[in-house]
Amino acid sequence: MITTNKPPRDYGEIRSQEVLQNLVGVFESKGWLNETVRIRHRDRRYRIFCSSKKFLAYRINDNCHVPHGFPGWPVCIITADQVIADSHMSPFSSAEPSARDWLRCINDGDFDLI
């Protein structure tokens, strides 16, 4: 498991298991493993979570007029077997970070805790 702030190689070449392992290492080094953390990234709010089995990025809906039960939506789920990311699933251009963007963001500290 890699716990340094340097990724093992170019983000574009990393498989889902490697992305997860790197995220686990970063979350572990920050003391956030198995914790939900609220962040602001690219002027958007997210809840992020990482365990040894999965990473989840959940976009928090900034619209205060939405009905209860619609607080946000998952934008990236990474397990050892797969990556499900809004940026890859949408037929339109997505403003949500991809799996490799999340790895870079968390690894490089490109966010604010909220």
Side-chain angles (χ1 to χ4, degrees), residues 71-108:
W73 57 94
V75 294
C76 186
I77 302 169
I78 303 170
T79 66
D81 300 329
Q82 66 181 345
V83 172
I84 301 170
D86 186 69
S87 60
H88 293 122
M89 293 185 308
S90 176
F92 306 103
S93 178
S94 174
E96 301 298 342
S98 67
R100 79 172 165 247
D101 290 336
W102 279 113
L103 176 56
R104 186 210 50 79
C105 167
I106 304 303
N107 193 52
D108 296 349

Side-chain angles (χ1 to χ4, degrees), residues 23-93:
L23 284 164
V24 167
V26 173
F27 271 71
E28 200 168 47
S29 71
K30 293 179 180 292
W32 296 348
L33 198 61
N34 299 313
E35 302 283 332
T36 299
V37 180
R38 291 172 48 108
I39 66 167
R40 182 174 306 279
H41 175 63
R42 298 181 184 167
D43 294 324
R44 293 184 177 100
R45 295 183 309 145
Y46 296 92
R47 280 191 204 124
I48 56 174
F49 171 84
C50 189
S51 70
S52 61
K53 297 183 187 257
K54 72 176 173 184
F55 168 80
L56 173 64
Y58 186 85
R59 171 87 179 274
I60 299 170
N61 192 338
D62 290 325
N63 186 346
C64 63
H65 302 292
V66 297
H68 182 71
F70 292 99
W73 57 94
V75 294
C76 186
I77 302 169
I78 303 170
T79 66
D81 300 329
Q82 66 181 345
V83 172
I84 301 170
D86 186 69
S87 60
H88 293 122
M89 293 185 308
S90 176
F92 306 103
S93 178

